[in-house]
PDB file of all heavy atoms in Angstrom:
ATOM      1  N   ALA A   6       0.872  -1.223  -0.004  1.00  0.00           N
ATOM      2  CA  ALA A   6      -0.029  -0.055  -0.042  1.00  0.00           C
ATOM      3  C   ALA A   6       0.884   1.231   0.008  1.00  0.00           C
ATOM      4  O   ALA A   6       1.842   1.364   0.761  1.00  0.00           O
ATOM      5  CB  ALA A   6      -0.923  -0.026   1.288  1.00  0.00           C
ATOM      6  N   THR A   7       0.615   2.183  -0.812  1.00  0.00           N
ATOM      7  CA  THR A   7       1.362   3.389  -0.929  1.00  0.00           C
ATOM      8  C   THR A   7       1.088   4.294   0.282  1.00  0.00           C
ATOM      9  O   THR A   7      -0.054   4.193   0.936  1.00  0.00           O
ATOM     10  CB  THR A   7       0.947   4.257  -2.176  1.00  0.00           C
ATOM     11  OG1 THR A   7       1.902   5.275  -2.405  1.00  0.00           O
ATOM     12  CG2 THR A   7      -0.416   4.846  -2.128  1.00  0.00           C
ATOM     13  N   ARG A   8       2.030   5.056   0.771  1.00  0.00           N
ATOM     14  CA  ARG A   8       1.970   5.875   1.919  1.00  0.00           C
ATOM     15  C   ARG A   8       1.909   7.270   1.504  1.00  0.00           C
ATOM     16  O   ARG A   8       2.187   7.631   0.376  1.00  0.00           O
ATOM     17  CB  ARG A   8       3.110   5.589   2.827  1.00  0.00           C
ATOM     18  CG  ARG A   8       3.298   4.199   3.353  1.00  0.00           C
ATOM     19  CD  ARG A   8       4.726   3.793   3.785  1.00  0.00           C
ATOM     20  NE  ARG A   8       5.403   4.783   4.395  1.00  0.00           N
ATOM     21  CZ  ARG A   8       5.620   4.900   5.758  1.00  0.00           C
ATOM     22  NH1 ARG A   8       5.179   3.977   6.561  1.00  0.00           N
ATOM     23  NH2 ARG A   8       6.293   5.912   6.374  1.00  0.00           N
ATOM     24  N   SER A   9       1.513   8.118   2.498  1.00  0.00           N
ATOM     25  CA  SER A   9       1.543   9.606   2.214  1.00  0.00           C
ATOM     26  C   SER A   9       2.886  10.199   1.812  1.00  0.00           C
ATOM     27  O   SER A   9       2.907  11.127   1.108  1.00  0.00           O
ATOM     28  CB  SER A   9       1.020  10.326   3.436  1.00  0.00           C
ATOM     29  OG  SER A   9      -0.387   9.899   3.806  1.00  0.00           O
ATOM     30  N   ASP A  10       3.962   9.628   2.215  1.00  0.00           N
ATOM     31  CA  ASP A  10       5.264  10.028   1.929  1.00  0.00           C
ATOM     32  C   ASP A  10       5.784   9.490   0.549  1.00  0.00           C
ATOM     33  O   ASP A  10       6.955   9.720   0.206  1.00  0.00           O
ATOM     34  CB  ASP A  10       6.311   9.640   3.075  1.00  0.00           C
ATOM     35  CG  ASP A  10       6.362   8.202   3.343  1.00  0.00           C
ATOM     36  OD1 ASP A  10       5.955   7.361   2.490  1.00  0.00           O
ATOM     37  OD2 ASP A  10       7.172   7.791   4.254  1.00  0.00           O
ATOM     38  N   GLY A  11       4.953   8.714  -0.128  1.00  0.00           N
ATOM     39  CA  GLY A  11       5.395   8.149  -1.497  1.00  0.00           C
ATOM     40  C   GLY A  11       5.999   6.876  -1.503  1.00  0.00           C
ATOM     41  O   GLY A  11       6.166   6.229  -2.403  1.00  0.00           O
ATOM     42  N   LYS A  12       6.364   6.360  -0.203  1.00  0.00           N
ATOM     43  CA  LYS A  12       6.939   5.036  -0.094  1.00  0.00           C
ATOM     44  C   LYS A  12       5.734   4.024  -0.011  1.00  0.00           C
ATOM     45  O   LYS A  12       4.566   4.314   0.074  1.00  0.00           O
ATOM     46  CB  LYS A  12       7.884   4.984   1.101  1.00  0.00           C
ATOM     47  CG  LYS A  12       9.123   5.823   0.920  1.00  0.00           C
ATOM     48  CD  LYS A  12       9.967   5.655   2.127  1.00  0.00           C
ATOM     49  CE  LYS A  12      11.295   6.622   1.911  1.00  0.00           C
ATOM     50  NZ  LYS A  12      12.273   6.413   3.104  1.00  0.00           N
ATOM     51  N   PHE A  13       6.165   2.787   0.111  1.00  0.00           N
ATOM     52  CA  PHE A  13       5.227   1.587   0.190  1.00  0.00           C
ATOM     53  C   PHE A  13       5.317   0.947   1.517  1.00  0.00           C
ATOM     54  O   PHE A  13       6.398   0.788   2.039  1.00  0.00           O
ATOM     55  CB  PHE A  13       5.357   0.540  -0.938  1.00  0.00           C
ATOM     56  CG  PHE A  13       4.845   0.996  -2.226  1.00  0.00           C
ATOM     57  CD1 PHE A  13       5.722   1.417  -3.247  1.00  0.00           C
ATOM     58  CD2 PHE A  13       3.523   0.992  -2.539  1.00  0.00           C
ATOM     59  CE1 PHE A  13       5.268   1.781  -4.445  1.00  0.00           C
ATOM     60  CE2 PHE A  13       3.107   1.247  -3.801  1.00  0.00           C
ATOM     61  CZ  PHE A  13       3.966   1.760  -4.789  1.00  0.00           C
ATOM     62  N   ASP A  14       4.166   0.648   2.088  1.00  0.00           N
ATOM     63  CA  ASP A  14       4.126  -0.273   3.315  1.00  0.00           C
ATOM     64  C   ASP A  14       3.835  -1.648   2.707  1.00  0.00           C
ATOM     65  O   ASP A  14       2.885  -1.935   1.998  1.00  0.00           O
ATOM     66  CB  ASP A  14       3.016   0.198   4.245  1.00  0.00           C
ATOM     67  CG  ASP A  14       2.985  -0.404   5.493  1.00  0.00           C
ATOM     68  OD1 ASP A  14       4.089  -1.178   5.826  1.00  0.00           O
ATOM     69  OD2 ASP A  14       2.098  -0.293   6.364  1.00  0.00           O
ATOM     70  N   PHE A  15       4.631  -2.513   3.074  1.00  0.00           N
ATOM     71  CA  PHE A  15       4.679  -3.897   2.577  1.00  0.00           C
ATOM     72  C   PHE A  15       4.634  -4.966   3.634  1.00  0.00           C
ATOM     73  O   PHE A  15       5.340  -5.015   4.532  1.00  0.00           O
ATOM     74  CB  PHE A  15       5.953  -4.251   1.631  1.00  0.00           C
ATOM     75  CG  PHE A  15       6.018  -5.534   1.147  1.00  0.00           C
ATOM     76  CD1 PHE A  15       4.989  -6.202   0.539  1.00  0.00           C
ATOM     77  CD2 PHE A  15       7.201  -6.227   1.262  1.00  0.00           C
ATOM     78  CE1 PHE A  15       5.157  -7.445  -0.090  1.00  0.00           C
ATOM     79  CE2 PHE A  15       7.435  -7.534   0.790  1.00  0.00           C
ATOM     80  CZ  PHE A  15       6.338  -8.185   0.119  1.00  0.00           C
ATOM     81  N   GLN A  16       3.564  -5.899   3.509  1.00  0.00           N
ATOM     82  CA  GLN A  16       3.368  -6.986   4.356  1.00  0.00           C
ATOM     83  C   GLN A  16       3.615  -8.212   3.523  1.00  0.00           C
ATOM     84  O   GLN A  16       2.815  -8.661   2.744  1.00  0.00           O
ATOM     85  CB  GLN A  16       2.027  -7.098   4.917  1.00  0.00           C
ATOM     86  CG  GLN A  16       1.600  -8.274   5.722  1.00  0.00           C
ATOM     87  CD  GLN A  16       2.505  -8.370   7.008  1.00  0.00           C
ATOM     88  OE1 GLN A  16       2.390  -7.408   7.864  1.00  0.00           O
ATOM     89  NE2 GLN A  16       3.267  -9.430   7.140  1.00  0.00           N
ATOM     90  N   PRO A  17       4.839  -8.855   3.718  1.00  0.00           N
ATOM     91  CA  PRO A  17       5.154 -10.134   2.974  1.00  0.00           C
ATOM     92  C   PRO A  17       4.255 -11.229   3.585  1.00  0.00           C
ATOM     93  O   PRO A  17       3.688 -11.140   4.694  1.00  0.00           O
ATOM     94  CB  PRO A  17       6.509 -10.413   3.183  1.00  0.00           C
ATOM     95  CG  PRO A  17       7.130  -9.078   3.720  1.00  0.00           C
ATOM     96  CD  PRO A  17       5.999  -8.467   4.502  1.00  0.00           C
ATOM     97  N   SER A  18       3.989 -12.279   2.785  1.00  0.00           N
ATOM     98  CA  SER A  18       3.381 -13.446   3.270  1.00  0.00           C
ATOM     99  C   SER A  18       4.251 -14.275   4.202  1.00  0.00           C
ATOM    100  O   SER A  18       5.477 -14.176   4.189  1.00  0.00           O
ATOM    101  CB  SER A  18       2.906 -14.401   2.113  1.00  0.00           C
ATOM    102  OG  SER A  18       3.955 -14.953   1.552  1.00  0.00           O
ATOM    103  N   GLN A  19       3.644 -15.072   5.068  1.00  0.00           N
ATOM    104  CA  GLN A  19       4.415 -15.925   5.943  1.00  0.00           C
ATOM    105  C   GLN A  19       5.149 -17.007   5.215  1.00  0.00           C
ATOM    106  O   GLN A  19       6.171 -17.454   5.542  1.00  0.00           O
ATOM    107  CB  GLN A  19       3.543 -16.508   7.042  1.00  0.00           C
ATOM    108  CG  GLN A  19       3.060 -15.541   8.101  1.00  0.00           C
ATOM    109  CD  GLN A  19       2.377 -16.166   9.250  1.00  0.00           C
ATOM    110  OE1 GLN A  19       1.726 -17.130   9.027  1.00  0.00           O
ATOM    111  NE2 GLN A  19       2.554 -15.562  10.394  1.00  0.00           N
ATOM    112  N   THR A  20       4.564 -17.316   4.000  1.00  0.00           N
ATOM    113  CA  THR A  20       5.216 -18.499   3.184  1.00  0.00           C
ATOM    114  C   THR A  20       6.454 -17.853   2.725  1.00  0.00           C
ATOM    115  O   THR A  20       7.421 -18.696   2.156  1.00  0.00           O
ATOM    116  CB  THR A  20       4.275 -18.888   2.110  1.00  0.00           C
ATOM    117  OG1 THR A  20       3.872 -17.723   1.335  1.00  0.00           O
ATOM    118  CG2 THR A  20       3.122 -19.632   2.588  1.00  0.00           C
ATOM    119  N   SER A  21       6.755 -16.582   2.518  1.00  0.00           N
ATOM    120  CA  SER A  21       7.987 -16.064   2.092  1.00  0.00           C
ATOM    121  C   SER A  21       9.153 -16.189   3.042  1.00  0.00           C
ATOM    122  O   SER A  21      10.286 -16.038   2.758  1.00  0.00           O
ATOM    123  CB  SER A  21       7.882 -14.613   1.712  1.00  0.00           C
ATOM    124  OG  SER A  21       7.894 -13.725   2.944  1.00  0.00           O
ATOM    125  N   GLY A  22       8.688 -16.469   4.274  1.00  0.00           N
ATOM    126  CA  GLY A  22       9.723 -16.602   5.432  1.00  0.00           C
ATOM    127  C   GLY A  22      10.109 -15.203   5.940  1.00  0.00           C
ATOM    128  O   GLY A  22      10.917 -15.172   6.889  1.00  0.00           O
ATOM    129  N   LYS A  23       9.386 -14.171   5.554  1.00  0.00           N
ATOM    130  CA  LYS A  23       9.650 -12.818   6.067  1.00  0.00           C
ATOM    131  C   LYS A  23       8.301 -12.157   6.335  1.00  0.00           C
ATOM    132  O   LYS A  23       7.767 -11.423   5.487  1.00  0.00           O
ATOM    133  CB  LYS A  23      10.457 -12.004   5.038  1.00  0.00           C
ATOM    134  CG  LYS A  23      11.803 -12.534   4.692  1.00  0.00           C
ATOM    135  CD  LYS A  23      12.478 -11.701   3.600  1.00  0.00           C
ATOM    136  CE  LYS A  23      13.945 -12.278   3.328  1.00  0.00           C
ATOM    137  NZ  LYS A  23      14.590 -11.520   2.247  1.00  0.00           N
ATOM    138  N   SER A  24       7.744 -12.467   7.476  1.00  0.00           N
ATOM    139  CA  SER A  24       6.382 -12.059   7.694  1.00  0.00           C
ATOM    140  C   SER A  24       6.321 -10.627   8.239  1.00  0.00           C
ATOM    141  O   SER A  24       5.144 -10.109   8.414  1.00  0.00           O
ATOM    142  CB  SER A  24       5.659 -13.056   8.584  1.00  0.00           C
ATOM    143  OG  SER A  24       6.385 -13.212   9.863  1.00  0.00           O
ATOM    144  N   ALA A  25       7.452 -10.149   8.799  1.00  0.00           N
ATOM    145  CA  ALA A  25       7.403  -8.813   9.412  1.00  0.00           C
ATOM    146  C   ALA A  25       7.085  -7.769   8.379  1.00  0.00           C
ATOM    147  O   ALA A  25       7.650  -7.701   7.361  1.00  0.00           O
ATOM    148  CB  ALA A  25       8.739  -8.500  10.186  1.00  0.00           C
ATOM    149  N   ARG A  26       6.198  -6.766   8.748  1.00  0.00           N
ATOM    150  CA  ARG A  26       6.017  -5.637   7.883  1.00  0.00           C
ATOM    151  C   ARG A  26       7.212  -4.706   7.712  1.00  0.00           C
ATOM    152  O   ARG A  26       7.893  -4.534   8.622  1.00  0.00           O
ATOM    153  CB  ARG A  26       4.774  -4.866   8.403  1.00  0.00           C
ATOM    154  CG  ARG A  26       4.104  -3.856   7.524  1.00  0.00           C
ATOM    155  CD  ARG A  26       2.970  -3.243   8.137  1.00  0.00           C
ATOM    156  NE  ARG A  26       1.913  -4.221   8.293  1.00  0.00           N
ATOM    157  CZ  ARG A  26       0.632  -3.929   8.792  1.00  0.00           C
ATOM    158  NH1 ARG A  26       0.353  -2.638   8.928  1.00  0.00           N
ATOM    159  NH2 ARG A  26      -0.308  -4.857   8.912  1.00  0.00           N
ATOM    160  N   LYS A  27       7.330  -4.221   6.580  1.00  0.00           N
ATOM    161  CA  LYS A  27       8.423  -3.295   6.341  1.00  0.00           C
ATOM    162  C   LYS A  27       8.028  -2.194   5.335  1.00  0.00           C
ATOM    163  O   LYS A  27       7.048  -2.289   4.652  1.00  0.00           O
ATOM    164  CB  LYS A  27       9.620  -4.045   5.843  1.00  0.00           C
ATOM    165  CG  LYS A  27       9.480  -4.696   4.501  1.00  0.00           C
ATOM    166  CD  LYS A  27      10.738  -5.396   4.018  1.00  0.00           C
ATOM    167  CE  LYS A  27      10.684  -6.028   2.659  1.00  0.00           C
ATOM    168  NZ  LYS A  27      11.900  -6.625   2.265  1.00  0.00           N
ATOM    169  N   ILE A  28       8.864  -1.211   5.279  1.00  0.00           N
ATOM    170  CA  ILE A  28       8.628  -0.089   4.252  1.00  0.00           C
ATOM    171  C   ILE A  28       9.592  -0.196   3.238  1.00  0.00           C
ATOM    172  O   ILE A  28      10.922  -0.387   3.445  1.00  0.00           O
ATOM    173  CB  ILE A  28       8.826   1.362   5.113  1.00  0.00           C
ATOM    174  CG1 ILE A  28       7.832   1.439   6.252  1.00  0.00           C
ATOM    175  CG2 ILE A  28       8.613   2.436   4.157  1.00  0.00           C
ATOM    176  CD1 ILE A  28       8.118   2.579   7.034  1.00  0.00           C
ATOM    177  N   VAL A  29       9.093  -0.060   1.954  1.00  0.00           N
ATOM    178  CA  VAL A  29      10.035  -0.104   0.796  1.00  0.00           C
ATOM    179  C   VAL A  29       9.872   1.215   0.023  1.00  0.00           C
ATOM    180  O   VAL A  29       8.832   1.792   0.027  1.00  0.00           O
ATOM    181  CB  VAL A  29       9.668  -1.345  -0.156  1.00  0.00           C
ATOM    182  CG1 VAL A  29      10.036  -2.562   0.704  1.00  0.00           C
ATOM    183  CG2 VAL A  29       8.367  -1.341  -0.645  1.00  0.00           C
ATOM    184  N   SER A  30      10.995   1.622  -0.633  1.00  0.00           N
ATOM    185  CA  SER A  30      10.836   2.917  -1.258  1.00  0.00           C
ATOM    186  C   SER A  30      10.049   2.886  -2.607  1.00  0.00           C
ATOM    187  O   SER A  30       9.418   3.892  -2.911  1.00  0.00           O
ATOM    188  CB  SER A  30      12.274   3.396  -1.621  1.00  0.00           C
ATOM    189  OG  SER A  30      12.944   2.544  -2.512  1.00  0.00           O
ATOM    190  N   ASN A  31      10.077   1.778  -3.201  1.00  0.00           N
ATOM    191  CA  ASN A  31       9.349   1.627  -4.517  1.00  0.00           C
ATOM    192  C   ASN A  31       9.025   0.149  -4.812  1.00  0.00           C
ATOM    193  O   ASN A  31       9.551  -0.717  -4.089  1.00  0.00           O
ATOM    194  CB  ASN A  31       9.968   2.314  -5.652  1.00  0.00           C
ATOM    195  CG  ASN A  31      11.429   1.786  -5.943  1.00  0.00           C
ATOM    196  OD1 ASN A  31      11.539   0.597  -6.101  1.00  0.00           O
ATOM    197  ND2 ASN A  31      12.383   2.694  -5.821  1.00  0.00           N
ATOM    198  N   ALA A  32       8.213  -0.046  -5.779  1.00  0.00           N
ATOM    199  CA  ALA A  32       7.848  -1.469  -6.188  1.00  0.00           C
ATOM    200  C   ALA A  32       8.793  -2.219  -6.767  1.00  0.00           C
ATOM    201  O   ALA A  32       8.650  -3.321  -7.091  1.00  0.00           O
ATOM    202  CB  ALA A  32       6.461  -1.427  -6.939  1.00  0.00           C
ATOM    203  N   SER A  33       9.945  -1.563  -7.107  1.00  0.00           N
ATOM    204  CA  SER A  33      11.067  -2.304  -7.873  1.00  0.00           C
ATOM    205  C   SER A  33      12.091  -2.930  -6.843  1.00  0.00           C
ATOM    206  O   SER A  33      13.063  -3.515  -7.391  1.00  0.00           O
ATOM    207  CB  SER A  33      11.811  -1.339  -8.802  1.00  0.00           C
ATOM    208  OG  SER A  33      12.428  -0.405  -8.063  1.00  0.00           O
ATOM    209  N   GLU A  34      11.773  -2.852  -5.576  1.00  0.00           N
ATOM    210  CA  GLU A  34      12.759  -3.409  -4.640  1.00  0.00           C
ATOM    211  C   GLU A  34      12.733  -4.893  -4.651  1.00  0.00           C
ATOM    212  O   GLU A  34      11.824  -5.547  -5.251  1.00  0.00           O
ATOM    213  CB  GLU A  34      12.572  -2.933  -3.344  1.00  0.00           C
ATOM    214  CG  GLU A  34      12.796  -1.406  -3.086  1.00  0.00           C
ATOM    215  CD  GLU A  34      13.095  -1.034  -1.663  1.00  0.00           C
ATOM    216  OE1 GLU A  34      13.325  -1.900  -0.901  1.00  0.00           O
ATOM    217  OE2 GLU A  34      13.110   0.212  -1.389  1.00  0.00           O
ATOM    218  N   SER A  35      13.620  -5.595  -4.041  1.00  0.00           N
ATOM    219  CA  SER A  35      13.754  -7.075  -4.029  1.00  0.00           C
ATOM    220  C   SER A  35      12.425  -7.758  -3.605  1.00  0.00           C
ATOM    221  O   SER A  35      11.944  -7.334  -2.597  1.00  0.00           O
ATOM    222  CB  SER A  35      14.917  -7.398  -3.149  1.00  0.00           C
ATOM    223  OG  SER A  35      15.084  -8.877  -3.041  1.00  0.00           O
ATOM    224  N   ASP A  36      12.151  -8.739  -4.358  1.00  0.00           N
ATOM    225  CA  ASP A  36      10.794  -9.445  -4.107  1.00  0.00           C
ATOM    226  C   ASP A  36      11.199 -10.756  -3.235  1.00  0.00           C
ATOM    227  O   ASP A  36      11.905 -11.534  -3.687  1.00  0.00           O
ATOM    228  CB  ASP A  36      10.209  -9.841  -5.540  1.00  0.00           C
ATOM    229  CG  ASP A  36       8.839 -10.406  -5.315  1.00  0.00           C
ATOM    230  OD1 ASP A  36       8.430 -10.806  -4.225  1.00  0.00           O
ATOM    231  OD2 ASP A  36       8.096 -10.414  -6.249  1.00  0.00           O
ATOM    232  N   PRO A  37      10.608 -10.850  -2.116  1.00  0.00           N
ATOM    233  CA  PRO A  37      10.886 -11.946  -1.213  1.00  0.00           C
ATOM    234  C   PRO A  37      10.181 -13.226  -1.615  1.00  0.00           C
ATOM    235  O   PRO A  37      10.251 -14.273  -1.077  1.00  0.00           O
ATOM    236  CB  PRO A  37      10.363 -11.581   0.151  1.00  0.00           C
ATOM    237  CG  PRO A  37       9.306 -10.590  -0.121  1.00  0.00           C
ATOM    238  CD  PRO A  37       9.694  -9.886  -1.420  1.00  0.00           C
ATOM    239  N   GLY A  38       9.244 -13.108  -2.614  1.00  0.00           N
ATOM    240  CA  GLY A  38       8.280 -14.296  -3.136  1.00  0.00           C
ATOM    241  C   GLY A  38       7.300 -14.563  -2.090  1.00  0.00           C
ATOM    242  O   GLY A  38       6.914 -13.755  -1.263  1.00  0.00           O
ATOM    243  N   GLY A  39       6.777 -15.851  -2.101  1.00  0.00           N
ATOM    244  CA  GLY A  39       5.709 -16.190  -1.281  1.00  0.00           C
ATOM    245  C   GLY A  39       4.473 -15.800  -1.818  1.00  0.00           C
ATOM    246  O   GLY A  39       3.473 -15.284  -0.981  1.00  0.00           O
ATOM    247  N   GLY A  40       4.164 -15.686  -3.107  1.00  0.00           N
ATOM    248  CA  GLY A  40       3.002 -15.035  -3.750  1.00  0.00           C
ATOM    249  C   GLY A  40       1.791 -15.865  -3.747  1.00  0.00           C
ATOM    250  O   GLY A  40       1.685 -16.941  -3.098  1.00  0.00           O
ATOM    251  N   SER A  41       0.858 -15.380  -4.376  1.00  0.00           N
ATOM    252  CA  SER A  41      -0.470 -15.900  -4.575  1.00  0.00           C
ATOM    253  C   SER A  41      -0.766 -16.001  -6.130  1.00  0.00           C
ATOM    254  O   SER A  41      -0.197 -15.167  -6.892  1.00  0.00           O
ATOM    255  CB  SER A  41      -1.633 -15.016  -4.008  1.00  0.00           C
ATOM    256  OG  SER A  41      -2.938 -15.511  -4.349  1.00  0.00           O
ATOM    257  N   LEU A  42      -1.481 -17.031  -6.645  1.00  0.00           N
ATOM    258  CA  LEU A  42      -1.669 -17.092  -8.031  1.00  0.00           C
ATOM    259  C   LEU A  42      -2.423 -15.817  -8.632  1.00  0.00           C
ATOM    260  O   LEU A  42      -2.052 -15.330  -9.689  1.00  0.00           O
ATOM    261  CB  LEU A  42      -2.546 -18.328  -8.395  1.00  0.00           C
ATOM    262  CG  LEU A  42      -2.967 -18.620  -9.877  1.00  0.00           C
ATOM    263  CD1 LEU A  42      -1.659 -18.778 -10.678  1.00  0.00           C
ATOM    264  CD2 LEU A  42      -3.935 -19.735  -9.991  1.00  0.00           C
ATOM    265  N   LEU A  43      -3.376 -15.224  -7.879  1.00  0.00           N
ATOM    266  CA  LEU A  43      -4.160 -14.112  -8.195  1.00  0.00           C
ATOM    267  C   LEU A  43      -3.894 -12.905  -7.284  1.00  0.00           C
ATOM    268  O   LEU A  43      -3.643 -13.214  -6.091  1.00  0.00           O
ATOM    269  CB  LEU A  43      -5.597 -14.457  -8.231  1.00  0.00           C
ATOM    270  CG  LEU A  43      -6.077 -15.543  -9.169  1.00  0.00           C
ATOM    271  CD1 LEU A  43      -7.561 -15.799  -8.912  1.00  0.00           C
ATOM    272  CD2 LEU A  43      -5.799 -15.181 -10.646  1.00  0.00           C
ATOM    273  N   SER A  44      -3.853 -11.745  -7.740  1.00  0.00           N
ATOM    274  CA  SER A  44      -3.745 -10.621  -6.954  1.00  0.00           C
ATOM    275  C   SER A  44      -4.705  -9.486  -7.402  1.00  0.00           C
ATOM    276  O   SER A  44      -4.801  -9.300  -8.527  1.00  0.00           O
ATOM    277  CB  SER A  44      -2.302 -10.004  -7.079  1.00  0.00           C
ATOM    278  OG  SER A  44      -1.345 -10.953  -6.565  1.00  0.00           O
ATOM    279  N   PHE A  45      -5.322  -8.804  -6.488  1.00  0.00           N
ATOM    280  CA  PHE A  45      -6.167  -7.650  -6.813  1.00  0.00           C
ATOM    281  C   PHE A  45      -5.367  -6.443  -6.609  1.00  0.00           C
ATOM    282  O   PHE A  45      -4.447  -6.368  -5.820  1.00  0.00           O
ATOM    283  CB  PHE A  45      -7.444  -7.539  -5.885  1.00  0.00           C
ATOM    284  CG  PHE A  45      -8.474  -8.740  -6.167  1.00  0.00           C
ATOM    285  CD1 PHE A  45      -8.570  -9.832  -5.171  1.00  0.00           C
ATOM    286  CD2 PHE A  45      -9.199  -8.767  -7.298  1.00  0.00           C
ATOM    287  CE1 PHE A  45      -9.484 -10.855  -5.516  1.00  0.00           C
ATOM    288  CE2 PHE A  45     -10.109  -9.818  -7.533  1.00  0.00           C
ATOM    289  CZ  PHE A  45     -10.224 -10.769  -6.563  1.00  0.00           C
ATOM    290  N   TRP A  46      -5.723  -5.355  -7.348  1.00  0.00           N
ATOM    291  CA  TRP A  46      -5.076  -4.177  -7.263  1.00  0.00           C
ATOM    292  C   TRP A  46      -5.935  -2.992  -7.539  1.00  0.00           C
ATOM    293  O   TRP A  46      -6.957  -3.060  -8.198  1.00  0.00           O
ATOM    294  CB  TRP A  46      -3.803  -4.049  -8.237  1.00  0.00           C
ATOM    295  CG  TRP A  46      -4.137  -4.569  -9.749  1.00  0.00           C
ATOM    296  CD1 TRP A  46      -4.067  -5.808 -10.293  1.00  0.00           C
ATOM    297  CD2 TRP A  46      -4.753  -3.738 -10.760  1.00  0.00           C
ATOM    298  NE1 TRP A  46      -4.551  -5.818 -11.578  1.00  0.00           N
ATOM    299  CE2 TRP A  46      -5.005  -4.512 -11.885  1.00  0.00           C
ATOM    300  CE3 TRP A  46      -5.022  -2.350 -10.757  1.00  0.00           C
ATOM    301  CZ2 TRP A  46      -5.360  -4.005 -13.072  1.00  0.00           C
ATOM    302  CZ3 TRP A  46      -5.556  -1.778 -12.008  1.00  0.00           C
ATOM    303  CH2 TRP A  46      -5.711  -2.610 -13.128  1.00  0.00           C
ATOM    304  N   VAL A  47      -5.436  -1.812  -6.993  1.00  0.00           N
ATOM    305  CA  VAL A  47      -5.994  -0.532  -7.378  1.00  0.00           C
ATOM    306  C   VAL A  47      -4.902   0.333  -7.733  1.00  0.00           C
ATOM    307  O   VAL A  47      -3.868   0.500  -7.024  1.00  0.00           O
ATOM    308  CB  VAL A  47      -6.875   0.042  -6.254  1.00  0.00           C
ATOM    309  CG1 VAL A  47      -7.204   1.588  -6.606  1.00  0.00           C
ATOM    310  CG2 VAL A  47      -8.100  -0.742  -5.971  1.00  0.00           C
TER     311      VAL A  47
END
């Protein structure tokens, strides 16, 4: 989810092995995986 400061708040899945929430500067940062077949977006 985008934040007011322009960065993203990211909650990885527990299947990625990195379940702690973190802030990323943009969507091009390293992907920890642990995805879903389908994803909704706005």
Side-chain angles (χ1 to χ4, degrees):
T7 192
R8 295 156 44 99
S9 299
D10 60 8
K12 296 181 179 181
F13 283 101
D14 194 7
F15 174 49
Q16 172 67 61
S18 71
Q19 288 187 329
T20 56
S21 73
K23 299 179 180 180
S24 60
R26 190 173 298 185
K27 63 179 183 177
I28 299 172
V29 296
S30 59
N31 54 60
S33 65
E34 295 205 12
S35 177
D36 191 339
S41 172
L42 178 61
L43 302 173
S44 300
F45 292 107
W46 49 265
V47 170

